[in-house]
Amino acid sequence: MTDEQRIEEFKRAVQAGHKVEAGDWMPEEYRARLTKFIEMHANSELMGALPERDWILRAPTLQRKLAVTAKIQDEVGHAQLLYRLVEDLGKPREQIFQDLISGKTKFHNVFHYPTKSWGDVGIIAWLVDAAAIHSQSALQRSSYAPYARTMRRICWEEAFHLKHGEDIVLTCMMGTARQKRLMQEALERWWEPLMMFHGPPAPPETDKDLEWGIKSRPNEQLRQDFLTKYVRRIQEIGLTIPDPKLRYDERTGRWAYTEPDWSKLYTIVTGNGPASQARLGFRRLSYEETAWVRQVVTGGAQLTA
Amino acid sequence: MTPEAREPLARYLLTIADDELVLGYRDSEWTGVAPIVEEDVAFSSLAQDEIGHARLLYTLAAELTATDPDQLALRRPKGDYYHARLLEFRATPKYDPSGQHQAGGDWAKAIVRRYLYDLFDDLRTEIIAESSYPPLAAAIQKVRREERYHLRHDEAWWHALAGGPAEGRERLERAIAALWPDALGLFEPAPGEERLVAEGILPLTTAELRLRWVERVAPAFARHGIPLPDERAAPAVGGRRGEHGPGWDELYDEMTMVRRLEPDGAW
Amino acid sequence: MHVYEVFRQEAEGESMRHVGNVDAPDDELALQYAREVYSRRGEATRLWVVPRAAIVEIVDPDFLRPPLDHGYRMGEAYRVTVMKRRQITGKEASRDA
């Protein structure tokens, strides 16, 4: 069998539902795409801890303090699970972090924005995590079994985050005018990033990650799922979604919305978002300040065995 | 318990709770910036445990003073917190939205603080577990079951840093030298402890734990040939009377920031 | 002879599950015996055979299920959330809330 035949056979197998394990043979393109896809996911979980992290110290009650701490712990915990997958695919951890800090690898658009108030903490935990859960649920069917299994654990934990976020938002929406304003302003800040979250509506047939079965649901479908589930829930508690064009079209069975400026998404994820450089700078600083610790525990060796 | 013991007991409960709260807050800052992601997660659990312990103790204090735990944790005036000064400084870098972040993250200090404090807290909770005030004894017995694993975590890092390459060892020694007077400040007694001892609510005062602590600390130092600093050095005191340093100013401002927007609101 | 613990994957994509152990003089025979004992009717799609000596174990509930309240991590802490939504919208919470 030639290499090409072997690759074709692999592709047919994953499209038919075959699951791949870490030690199995896989085409180089599959390995490279998986690595890139999971690494961006992992980076997003880690960088996602930073915007919320500032609010760990600021939570307004003991119960919220504990819940916020645990929530962000989970996000970093997800990064840890996902970095392990990337390491097993052959990329050492030091390299992963160097590529993140130098801007060579990316992280998700929503983590390039500042967090300005407690409102952001509620909106992120509720709606950003809700958007994430839609794509992550679909990833439980990934052809790469270690990723699919990891996603089961992550989705289970994300469900708690959603409740935690929703509870923060609802509590403020039942509170004073100032508390309600915190939430409305945060929603206005986060709506555009949320609409960009699932990426541009690429035709499924050109999406290579779909072709290899790395992911299983197209971008636009994920966005439609999100809107179907959350628009009413957002509106019925007294929040106003800042998009005059947003409506459900009965005829097509789809949500119409103001098309995000997709070039802006590209600008943001390439490190030019409002908080991109500050966040990367902080990641770099903390990484450099702790380099000696990694030297000590690994004797200078790579962390991955 | 006599009526005269009520106030010293409430004060003592606040003192321990404040220690746990402030350390919990500072340790929670490692989330996202620890040396390895595994430690981001581990330190967060340590922090959550400490805050959980603080909440338990504030609940006991609140029963004595007719208030509620959140009020005690987040709404006292800045000078009415009684934690030891060792616990209040920031060991992590600090994010600044402008990009001009504050450096100064120091894992060695974080580990030394945890280890020296947990050794102290182990002795303190050991005596409190014998308290004649049943709600306190019962609460502390549960706390000790979680703290046992904190000490194991601290010790693993202590040995890794002390027994590893020179750089880790040097940083550890610098951290010890910097924190030693603050660590001795842990033994500053809360006002009214003698009354609690007289009534059997406490078997010993906090100051009396100092010798036992040195006996625990000394072998951990000796094992790696780390010289034990002078245990008769002047301790950094004042914490138990509400006198704190700039680390507390910064932390207090942050931890009350959201709550201050609507102090009486539901959050 | 050494004791090896045996983990079995019963269908593609599933996690490895511990099923038992075998005694064997070396790794190769451990694999053979593991197949004989735990998959001779084709129950496995994959086997892992691990020297027992390599396993680090902890069973202490103080560590695994700590005694104090950590309910803020779990869904039960948010049962009130459903009530809040009901209160704010003035209607029954949606079924899948």
Side-chain angles (χ1 to χ4, degrees), chain A residues 19-84:
Chain A
K19 301 296 178 193
V20 183
E21 295 287 346
D24 296 352
W25 178 84
M26 61 186 84
E28 277 315 303
E29 187 190 345
Y30 182 77
R31 185 182 297 276
R33 286 193 173 279
L34 260 184
T35 304
K36 188 176 173 197
F37 193 93
I38 302 176
E39 188 176 1
M40 177 166 172
H41 188 172
N43 286 343
S44 301
E45 298 276 6
L46 187 72
M47 294 304 287
L50 297 186
E52 294 183 275
R53 178 184 170 278
D54 287 342
W55 300 87
I56 290 181
L57 290 186
R58 301 172 185 164
T61 70
L62 282 172
Q63 179 76 6
R64 295 278 186 233
K65 162 74 185 173
L66 286 164
V68 170
T69 310
K71 191 268 187 196
I72 305 173
Q73 176 188 39
D74 284 350
E75 307 296 4
V76 184
H78 299 166
Q80 189 239 325
L81 295 172
L82 295 165
Y83 282 133
R84 280 295 315 125

Side-chain angles (χ1 to χ4, degrees), chain A residues 175-200:
Chain A
T176 64
R178 174 184 260 173
Q179 286 175 302
K180 287 180 191 166
R181 206 159 55 238
L182 281 183
M183 293 301 149
Q184 179 61 36
E185 287 169 0
L187 180 66
E188 286 166 17
R189 280 195 286 278
W190 288 94
W191 189 254
E192 186 186 57
L194 274 169
M195 292 304 285
M196 291 179 170
F197 185 91
H198 294 107

Side-chain angles (χ1 to χ4, degrees), chain B residues 77-90:
Chain B
K78 190 157 76 177
D80 290 356
Y81 285 77
Y82 307 119
H83 56 273
R85 296 175 76 148
L86 173 68
L87 306 169
E88 68 197 26
F89 74 87
R90 173 166 48 77

Side-chain angles (χ1 to χ4, degrees), chain A:
Chain A
M1 190 162 51
T2 66
D3 282 356
E4 268 161 44
Q5 284 171 326
R6 202 174 177 198
I7 291 168
E8 275 316 303
E9 189 172 287
F10 178 94
K11 192 177 279 184
R12 271 198 305 277
V14 292
Q15 283 167 356
H18 171 64
K19 301 296 178 193
V20 183
E21 295 287 346
D24 296 352
W25 178 84
M26 61 186 84
E28 277 315 303
E29 187 190 345
Y30 182 77
R31 185 182 297 276
R33 286 193 173 279
L34 260 184
T35 304
K36 188 176 173 197
F37 193 93
I38 302 176
E39 188 176 1
M40 177 166 172
H41 188 172
N43 286 343
S44 301
E45 298 276 6
L46 187 72
M47 294 304 287
L50 297 186
E52 294 183 275
R53 178 184 170 278
D54 287 342
W55 300 87
I56 290 181
L57 290 186
R58 301 172 185 164
T61 70
L62 282 172
Q63 179 76 6
R64 295 278 186 233
K65 162 74 185 173
L66 286 164
V68 170
T69 310
K71 191 268 187 196
I72 305 173
Q73 176 188 39
D74 284 350
E75 307 296 4
V76 184
H78 299 166
Q80 189 239 325
L81 295 172
L82 295 165
Y83 282 133
R84 280 295 315 125
L85 300 181
V86 179
E87 289 176 274
D88 279 349
L89 286 166
K91 184 161 184 178
R93 206 186 281 199
E94 290 290 323
Q95 190 63 49
I96 295 171
F97 284 109
Q98 269 150 28
D99 288 352
L100 171 62
I101 288 167
S102 70
K104 190 172 165 204
T105 50
K106 307 281 177 278
F107 57 101
H108 215 290
N109 75 304
V110 284
F111 307 120
H112 292 260
Y113 293 85
T115 43
K116 297 195 166 158
S117 81
W118 181 247
D120 299 45
V121 178
I123 295 291
I124 290 173
W126 182 29
L127 296 176
V128 173
D129 284 33
I133 242 184
H134 279 281
S135 37
Q136 291 174 342
S137 301
L139 289 169
Q140 294 177 61
R141 297 188 294 277
S142 174
S143 59
Y144 189 55
Y147 193 34
R149 287 192 296 264
T150 301
M151 229 33 72
R152 283 186 224 159
R153 175 166 185 87
I154 290 182
C155 286
W156 181 68
E157 292 182 343
E158 291 288 347
F160 303 131
H161 302 174
L162 243 67
K163 280 286 162 210
H164 153 76
E166 187 185 3
D167 198 75
I168 289 174
V169 175
L170 285 168
T171 306
C172 280
M173 292 308 288
M174 295 166 79
T176 64
R178 174 184 260 173
Q179 286 175 302
K180 287 180 191 166
R181 206 159 55 238
L182 281 183
M183 293 301 149
Q184 179 61 36
E185 287 169 0
L187 180 66
E188 286 166 17
R189 280 195 286 278
W190 288 94
W191 189 254
E192 186 186 57
L194 274 169
M195 292 304 285
M196 291 179 170
F197 185 91
H198 294 107
E205 56 281 8
T206 66
D207 191 330
K208 288 278 183 190
D209 293 330
L210 281 173
E211 188 183 332
W212 286 105
I214 292 171
K215 65 181 195 185
S216 69
R217 202 154 171 79
N219 297 350
E220 181 57 22
Q221 199 49 54
L222 291 167
R223 188 164 25 250
Q224 291 285 330
D225 294 346
F226 171 76
L227 292 169
T228 298
K229 187 151 181 193
Y230 286 97
V231 168
R232 182 183 52 79
R233 287 171 194 221
I234 294 167
Q235 289 172 337
E236 75 178 9
I237 62 172
L239 288 168
T240 306
I241 295 174
D243 179 359
K245 287 193 185 159
L246 181 71
R247 68 181 181 88
Y248 184 70
D249 186 336
E250 296 283 352
R251 194 176 47 83
T252 60
R254 299 180 76 75
W255 289 90
Y257 52 84
T258 303
E259 186 78 13
D261 176 359
W262 294 112
S263 65
K264 189 170 167 187
L265 176 66
Y266 181 77
T267 307
I268 286 166
V269 295
T270 49
N272 302 297
S276 312
Q277 290 311 312
R279 293 268 160 67
L280 280 173
F282 192 61
R283 165 68 45 221
R284 190 179 304 118
L285 172 65
S286 63
Y287 198 64
E288 285 166 2
E289 285 188 336
T290 53
W292 69 270
V293 186
R294 289 184 295 279
Q295 282 285 329
V296 166
V297 294
T298 64
Q302 294 286 3
L303 266 178
T304 171

Side-chain angles (χ1 to χ4, degrees), chain B residues 45 48-49 53 55-56 142-143 145-146 148-149 152, chain C residues 58 60-63 65-70 72-73:
Chain B
S45 279
Q48 290 168 51
D49 286 353
H53 302 166
R55 177 163 68 169
L56 190 63
K142 279 191 185 171
V143 165
R145 289 164 59 190
E146 293 189 346
R148 200 153 50 88
Y149 284 93
R152 283 175 61 165
Chain C
I58 189 144
D60 185 353
D62 283 357
F63 189 55
R65 295 177 173 180
L68 288 168
D69 175 17
H70 295 272
Y72 57 88
R73 286 184 192 276

Side-chain angles (χ1 to χ4, degrees), chain B residues 212-247:
Chain B
R212 294 187 188 188
W213 179 78
V214 172
E215 281 167 12
R216 291 280 297 275
V217 171
F221 280 60
R223 177 167 157 188
H224 297 287
I226 296 175
L228 191 70
D230 184 359
E231 62 108 356
R232 289 155 307 169
V237 292
R240 306 306 189 200
R241 297 191 303 271
E243 294 161 13
H244 300 289

Side-chain angles (χ1 to χ4, degrees), chain B residues 6-263:
Chain B
R6 242 180 133 78
E7 199 186 314
L9 178 57
R11 175 65 175 252
Y12 183 71
L13 290 169
L14 283 180
T15 304
I16 324 170
D18 290 347
D19 277 354
E20 298 276 298
L21 184 81
V22 171
L23 181 61
Y25 266 72
R26 283 312 189 189
D27 280 348
S28 70
E29 287 184 285
W30 281 107
T31 316
V33 297
I36 52 175
V37 283
E38 285 78 0
E39 277 301 324
D40 290 75
V41 180
F43 248 70
S44 179
S45 279
L46 296 175
Q48 290 168 51
D49 286 353
E50 304 302 5
I51 290 161
H53 302 166
R55 177 163 68 169
L56 190 63
L57 294 160
Y58 286 134
T59 306
L60 296 182
E63 283 162 11
L64 293 173
T65 54
T67 175
D68 69 80
D70 274 337
Q71 177 76 33
L72 292 175
L74 294 163
R75 298 187 64 192
R76 275 177 290 155
K78 190 157 76 177
D80 290 356
Y81 285 77
Y82 307 119
H83 56 273
R85 296 175 76 148
L86 173 68
L87 306 169
E88 68 197 26
F89 74 87
R90 173 166 48 77
T92 58
K94 189 166 180 62
Y95 182 81
D96 190 300
S98 74
Q100 300 298 309
H101 310 303
Q102 290 177 48
D106 190 336
W107 185 251
K109 278 190 181 170
I111 294 297
V112 169
R113 167 161 70 187
R114 272 223 72 93
Y115 190 34
L116 296 181
Y117 173 75
D118 278 340
L119 285 171
F120 159 77
D121 193 47
D122 187 44
L123 295 168
R124 176 169 65 180
T125 54
E126 191 176 60
I127 61 158
I128 302 174
E130 295 165 30
S131 170
S132 66
Y133 183 59
L136 179 57
I140 287 296
Q141 278 154 18
K142 279 191 185 171
V143 165
R144 282 181 64 75
R145 289 164 59 190
E146 293 189 346
E147 292 287 356
R148 200 153 50 88
Y149 284 93
H150 295 187
L151 259 177
R152 283 175 61 165
H153 177 267
D154 302 341
E155 272 163 1
W157 272 102
W158 175 266
H159 295 311
L161 298 186
E167 187 178 5
R169 164 69 177 259
E170 284 158 19
R171 283 178 184 266
L172 195 69
E173 291 194 21
R174 279 204 294 277
I176 293 164
L179 299 182
W180 190 252
D182 289 337
L184 295 177
L186 288 165
F187 300 94
E188 180 186 6
E193 280 188 22
E194 293 80 6
R195 162 62 66 178
L196 301 178
V197 172
E199 297 211 9
I201 292 171
L202 274 186
L204 291 171
T205 64
T206 308
E208 289 171 290
L209 297 174
R210 183 162 150 164
L211 209 58
R212 294 187 188 188
W213 179 78
V214 172
E215 281 167 12
R216 291 280 297 275
V217 171
F221 280 60
R223 177 167 157 188
H224 297 287
I226 296 175
L228 191 70
D230 184 359
E231 62 108 356
R232 289 155 307 169
V237 292
R240 306 306 189 200
R241 297 191 303 271
E243 294 161 13
H244 300 289
W248 176 237
D249 292 341
E250 177 196 273
L251 178 57
Y252 181 81
D253 183 54
E254 288 229 37
M255 64 190 257
T256 56
M257 183 184 286
V258 174
R259 184 71 193 218
R260 281 196 312 257
L261 293 175
E262 288 293 359

